[in-house]
């Protein structure tokens, strides 16, 4: 029982980690909580299903197409909503982010309808549904293994991009000092757009994986997932990419254990309570920098 | 009195006498009362993002706390409305302090997300603690507002089931909250809040205890939210956890943003505009076959566009007390007269 809960929690946690990375990267670069990131995650799932049902693309191609579309959405979001407000007070950008989140969510509601849909099972390769491993009470499906593999390899890829490439160096420079980075010849707006694209692509994958895992998708799915992923980012220390991964896993496991052993009614409450507790008692998170307002 | 003020007075008087007219419709009265509930909420929320410059996404949590405090106290103990209002306000403010004291020392982003988490926890609590709140079934049968003056005259015991008396009680409460807000804005408290919003470092070095003033702001805002909820509970006579979801916080925030952050009159007008817009959209969206919730797309758009093109709203706050100061007005007049005289003398010299 415990092992099964741990496995389920780990699956969920890796997905949270994929979303949390998007929050934390954007926060690291422009110090903005991109509330609309949860909506990008939702759009990813819907794009994928639309590509499968309307265009008839195979599963893996549809995932790639959805990633590309979500990256474009992320870039558009930055250009339309956030770029004009770079010099405005923080509050203005935060309010815009909330506004964009609500806007996108309702746009999806209008386009795809408010009812929850199943993921088209025909398109999902059959072997993903089979059990990969059965040991006593514990079972592990190929789908869960697929989620592990995708999440971990994407995280590794992200780690390489951030630490080993020129643009990753530029991102890190930007998160330390924007002005100095600009003076060194870094194209600030390009790097910010790239960060949005990267985060959005990972968010889209997370959305698709969740909708396959639970076999359901609906326009408001980005709302709770977004907040939980943000909680994961805070837990790990916002602005820190490895922190987001650790935070996501911890939160996913905590949620699965909380739902299994405390009360399943408060499943979502676990995430919020963890988040509030972390912010109150250790606001810098597990791996983050200090965030106490100096003023 | 200027022409504009006279016009406002006429409109206000006209609206206040509306329920007494023979043609008044119950629907319009209901919408007007609802608008007034939101006016109270918008004024209360305005303190935190408007005066202090902090984003509060969990305002509806305090509204819900106030409403359920009122509902439960009414059902179980039968307390009169006038006793419940201060109790609910205290309960709201207490939670405001409990939540605000540890989190307000962090940067504003963290505060925003904590308030959000808090309001979600409130909804979860209201939904799941069935022994107390009856959960998703809701809390029906709350007594309406009563006025017990039987100690003066045996016949003076009133139960306000009708729309009209509720309308006037709401108007009274809006006026009261408005008065309090205006006094606060011009007081030491209000000046400290503005100073914190404009430059926390400068405010701190002038001796403003930033954390204390922020916590006070958050507690007062929470208290006013609870008062709004208290009236709502006794007016609608039914409560359910669904009424206190994040959407409500968003709606109230949108009202404040639309009217202009930090502008009390703007908050009032924002509430009226958005409640009316909401009713219109609800009708027209269902007419074209879309679910009524999609009206939030308009609110989202409003927020984005206002922040982009008119960040201080349509009624930007100006230092109003300075403009109505007779000494300053006199000085301005004399300066203008002096300038005109100089101009004249120069003309004649040329």
């Amino acid at each position: 029982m415990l092992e099964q809960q741990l496995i389920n929690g780990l699956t969920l946690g890796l997905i949270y980690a994929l979303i949390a990375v998007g929050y934390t990267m954007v926060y690291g670069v422009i110090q903005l909580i991109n509330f609309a990131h949860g909506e990008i995650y939702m759009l990813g799932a819907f794009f994928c299903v639309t590509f499968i049902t309307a265009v008839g693309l195979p599963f893996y191609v549809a995932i790639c197409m959805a990633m590309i579309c979500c990256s474009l959405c992320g870039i558009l979001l930055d250009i339309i909503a956030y770029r004009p407000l770079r010099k405005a007070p923080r509050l203005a950008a935060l309010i815009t982010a909330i506004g964009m989140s609500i806007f996108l969510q309702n746009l999806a509601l209008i386009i795809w309808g408010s009812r929850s849909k199943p993921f088209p099972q025909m398109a999902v390769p059959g072997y993903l549904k089979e059990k990969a491993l059965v040991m006593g009470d514990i079972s592990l499906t190929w789908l869960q293994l697929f989620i592990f593999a995708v999440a971990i390899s994407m995280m590794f890829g992200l780690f390489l991009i951030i630490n080993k490439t020129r643009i990753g160096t530029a991102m890190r420079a930007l998160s330390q000092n924007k002005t100095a980075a600009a003076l060194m010849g870094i194209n600030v707006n390009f790097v910010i757009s790239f960060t949005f694209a990267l985060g959005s692509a990972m968010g889209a994958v997370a959305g698709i994986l969740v909708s396959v895992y639970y076999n359901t998708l609906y326009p408001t799915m980005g709302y709770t997932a977004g907040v939980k992923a943000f909680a994961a980012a805070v837990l790990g220390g916002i602005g820190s990419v490895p922190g987001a991964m650790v935070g996501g896993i911890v939160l996913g496991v905590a949620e699965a254990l909380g739902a299994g052993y405390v009360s399943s009614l408060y499943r979502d409450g676990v995430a919020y309570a963890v988040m509030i507790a972390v912010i109150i008692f250790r606001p810098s998170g597990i791996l983050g920098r200090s965030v106490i307002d100096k003023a | 009195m200027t022409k504009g003020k006279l016009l406002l007075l006429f409109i206000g008087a006209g609206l206040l006498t509306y329920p007494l007219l023979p043609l008044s419709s119950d629907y319009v009265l209901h919408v007007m009362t609802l608008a007034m509930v939101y006016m109270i909420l918008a004024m209360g929320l305005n303190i935190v993002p408007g005066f202090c410059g902090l984003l509060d996404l969990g305002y509806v949590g305090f509204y819900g706390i106030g409403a359920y405090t009122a509902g439960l106290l009414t059902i179980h103990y039968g307390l009169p409305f006038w006793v419940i209002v201060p109790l609910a306000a205290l309960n709201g403010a207490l939670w405001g302090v409990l939540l605000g004291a540890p989190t307000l020392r962090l940067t504003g982003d963290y505060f925003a997300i904590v308030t959000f988490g808090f309001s979600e926890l409130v909804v979860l609590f209201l939904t799941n603690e069935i022994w107390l709140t009856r959960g998703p079934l809701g809390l029906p049968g709350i007594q309406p507002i009563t006025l017990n003056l039987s100690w003066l005259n045996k016949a003076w015991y009133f139960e306000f089931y009708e729309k009209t008396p509720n309308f006037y009680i709401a108007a009274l409460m809006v006026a009261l909250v408005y008065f309090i807000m205006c006094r606060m804005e011009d007081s030491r408290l209000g000046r400290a809040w503005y100073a914190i919003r404009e430059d926390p470092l400068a405010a701190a070095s002038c001796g403003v205890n930033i954390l204390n003033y922020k916590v006070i702001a958050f507690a007062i805002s929470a208290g006013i939210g609870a008062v709004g909820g208290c009236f709502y509970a006794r007016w609608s006579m039914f409560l359910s956890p669904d009424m206190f979801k994040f959407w409500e916080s968003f709606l109230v925030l949108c009202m404040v943003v639309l009217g202009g952050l930090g502008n009390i009159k703007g908050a009032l007008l924002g509430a009226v505009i958005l409640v009316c817009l909401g009713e219109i959209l609800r009708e027209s969206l269902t007419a074209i076959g879309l679910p009524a919730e999609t009206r939030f797309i308009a609110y989202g758009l409003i927020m984005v566009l206002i922040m982009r093109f008119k960040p201080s709203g349509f009624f930007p706050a100006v230092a109003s007390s300075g403009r109505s100061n007779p000494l300053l007005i006199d000085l301005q007049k004399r300066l203008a007269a002096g300038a005109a005289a100089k101009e004249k003398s120069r003309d004649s010299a040329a």
Side-chain angles (χ1 to χ4, degrees), chain A residues 27 90 223 227 238 266 280, chain B residues 105 109-110 116 120 129:
Chain A
Y27 193 90
R90 289 274 279 281
Y223 163 68
V227 180
I238 193 137
Y266 280 102
I280 289 176
Chain B
R105 69 202 155 94
D109 310 347
Y110 280 85
F116 176 86
E120 289 294 297
E129 299 304 313

Side-chain angles (χ1 to χ4, degrees), chain B residues 32-51:
Chain B
M32 281 164 88
T33 314
L34 191 68
M36 286 196 281
V37 173
Y38 278 108
M39 279 179 179
I40 297 174
L41 294 180
M43 280 192 285
L45 178 64
N46 186 31
I47 298 175
V48 179
F51 293 168

Side-chain angles (χ1 to χ4, degrees), chain B residues 184-195:
Chain B
M184 268 195 313
E185 190 189 16
D186 284 341
S187 72
R188 195 184 163 79
L189 205 59
R191 288 198 302 276
W193 289 338
Y194 278 128

Side-chain angles (χ1 to χ4, degrees), chain A residues 27 33 84 90 92 95-96 98 102-103 105-106 110 223 227 230 238 265-266 269 272 279-280 291-293, chain B residues 102 105-107 109-110 113-114 116 120 124 128-129 200 246-247 250 293-294 296-297 300-301 303 307-308:
Chain A
Y27 193 90
I33 300 177
R90 289 274 279 281
I95 290 177
T96 303
I98 283 276
I102 302 287
F103 175 77
Q105 187 174 324
N106 285 288
I110 290 174
Y223 163 68
V227 180
F230 183 79
I238 193 137
L265 294 174
Y266 280 102
Y272 302 134
I279 289 180
I280 289 176
V291 289
I292 302 252
D293 220 344
Chain B
R105 69 202 155 94
L106 305 172
T107 56
D109 310 347
Y110 280 85
I113 209 82
V114 167
F116 176 86
E120 289 294 297
L124 277 176
N128 293 333
E129 299 304 313
F246 172 65
W247 304 106
F250 180 75
E293 297 90 64
T294 43
F296 276 93
I297 200 170
L301 213 57
M303 279 173 95
M307 279 295 127
R308 172 78 177 81

